[in-house]
Amino acid sequence: MTTTTPDTRRTPGELVRTIDWRQYVVYIGFVVVFVYFAVTQGGDFLNATTLVNIITQAAPITVMAVGTVFVLSIGEIDLSIGSTVALAALGSAVTLQATHQWWLAALAGVAIGAAIGLINGLFITLVRLPSFLVTLATMGLVTGLAQQSTNLQSVPVTEPVFSWIFGGGTPLGIPILIWWTALVVAIGWHVLRQRAFGAHVLAVGNKSSAAAVSGIRVNRLKMAVFILSGVSAALAGLLYAGRLSGATYTLGGSDLMSVLAAVIVGGTALTGGKGSVIGALVGSLFMSMINYGLLLGGLNVAQQMIVRGIIILIAVSLSLRAKKSS
């Protein structure tokens, strides 16, 4: 007596239909847009200087995007990152003028970011207010502090070591902003994918009550994530101050939209439980490439914001549809 087993082999067409293409949208979009600008802009786009500029200009966005991946993955949101950039940059610049010590200035900027993240975390975990409302309030508070602290004046950064480390250096002939991007992405990927901290973040974002039952300290974890977000925004502020050789209250003012677009387009779920640091990196490069290409094409800043808004709408729609179908 012979038995037959069902043929479980799938045709190429069936395999293609089983793939969730939404998780690859950022990579497909990146290639399509790159090819489009390469064809339409020609040599103005396809040269080493332009490509390096795209990566270096994306560096602060990428740094903030890595922190935002953890915030969204845990099921929260941080709207205060743009204002944190400005206050941290100003704080470091003022400290640098007062002490002439680059490391004290850097420490001051990071401490400001951590303090803002701590305040957000305390109100969200202890007072139990929604993160949207808390970070919206701190966004206004921090913006006001940034404006008031320097009376709307910019603060120059003239210390050469600070400028070299956070903006103008070229170790091994590679712009230091690319080194910062690689370092932050590598650490973020390792923590999210290889450490228990990252697994707990995703578990809480997927279902907070179940994570608490399993022994995860949800409030402590959320506190740590918001501090991480504040520190990443502060580091972005240092990179701005070093690259621009100065700080002003307008730094980071329009970055929130770019960061959210990069993270959501990169595959991080808006509703929590799913995050991708590599996707956020590609998303930030994607947004930087679009901005640069549109600038070469003659579009102004307002038109670039319109394009970013459209991208966010598409990305959020895909994210929410993926959540419903899972």
Side-chain angles (χ1 to χ4, degrees):
M1 180 177 178
T2 59
T3 59
T4 60
T5 57
D7 187 2
T8 58
R9 292 176 298 179
R10 295 180 179 180
T11 65
E14 291 173 333
L15 289 174
V16 169
R17 286 192 293 270
T18 60
I19 298 175
D20 184 6
W21 293 103
R22 285 171 295 197
Q23 61 182 318
Y24 302 109
V25 65
V26 66
Y27 307 103
I28 297 172
F30 184 90
V31 172
V32 170
V33 173
F34 182 88
V35 171
Y36 172 78
F37 284 136
V39 172
T40 58
Q41 305 294 342
D44 291 337
F45 183 80
L46 281 179
N47 61 76
T49 300
T50 296
L51 299 180
V52 168
N53 285 340
I54 288 173
I55 299 174
T56 55
Q57 288 186 7
I61 300 298
T62 303
V63 169
M64 285 186 280
V66 171
T68 302
V69 165
F70 285 87
V71 175
L72 292 185
S73 294
I74 209 170
E76 305 290 349
I77 193 168
D78 187 354
L79 302 179
S80 64
I81 53 176
S83 55
T84 301
V85 167
L87 188 60
L90 286 168
S92 65
V94 170
T95 303
L96 192 61
Q97 283 192 339
T99 65
H100 303 287
Q101 298 293 326
W102 71 267
W103 62 273
L104 279 176
L107 185 61
V110 171
I112 289 172
I116 295 171
L118 177 62
I119 292 171
N120 286 333
L122 287 173
F123 276 94
I124 290 164
T125 58
L126 298 183
V127 186
R128 299 187 182 280
L129 294 176
S131 58
F132 178 86
L133 295 179
V134 171
T135 57
L136 182 64
T138 52
M139 176 178 68
L141 173 64
V142 174
T143 298
L145 287 174
Q147 295 175 357
Q148 182 68 27
S149 61
T150 58
N151 196 26
L152 304 182
Q153 301 298 311
S154 60
V155 181
V157 172
T158 57
E159 213 286 323
V161 177
F162 184 96
S163 297
W164 191 93
I165 292 175
F166 294 107
T170 54
L172 302 178
I174 300 174
I176 202 165
L177 291 177
I178 297 180
W179 287 105
W180 276 112
T181 298
L183 177 64
V184 172
V185 168
I187 293 174
W189 177 86
H190 178 75
V191 172
L192 186 65
R193 293 301 175 191
Q194 304 295 321
R195 309 301 297 180
F197 181 88
H200 291 171
V201 166
L202 296 174
V204 172
N206 190 51
K207 194 168 185 181
S208 180
S209 57
V213 170
S214 68
I216 297 175
R217 297 182 176 181
V218 175
N219 285 347
R220 180 179 295 184
L221 193 66
K222 288 186 177 182
M223 190 87 68
V225 165
F226 275 96
I227 292 175
L228 174 63
S229 178
V231 169
S232 68
L235 177 56
L238 297 181
L239 297 181
Y240 273 128
R243 190 182 74 185
L244 302 175
S245 297
T248 179
Y249 71 94
T250 59
L251 287 178
S254 61
D255 285 348
L256 178 62
M257 181 180 290
S258 294
V259 171
L260 289 178
V263 173
I264 299 171
V265 169
T268 297
L270 187 63
T271 50
K274 179 183 177 183
S276 173
V277 171
I278 301 300
L281 167 64
V282 177
S284 64
L285 294 176
F286 178 65
M287 298 303 299
S288 179
M289 180 173 61
I290 287 177
N291 290 341
Y292 211 91
L294 294 178
L295 188 63
L296 289 176
L299 274 70
N300 57 35
V301 175
Q303 291 167 324
Q304 293 175 34
M305 291 183 66
I306 292 173
V307 173
R308 287 200 297 268
I310 293 173
I311 291 173
I312 291 176
L313 285 175
I314 295 173
V316 170
S317 300
L318 290 174
S319 176
L320 294 179
R321 287 188 63 187
K323 184 72 173 179
K324 290 178 181 178
S325 61
S326 61

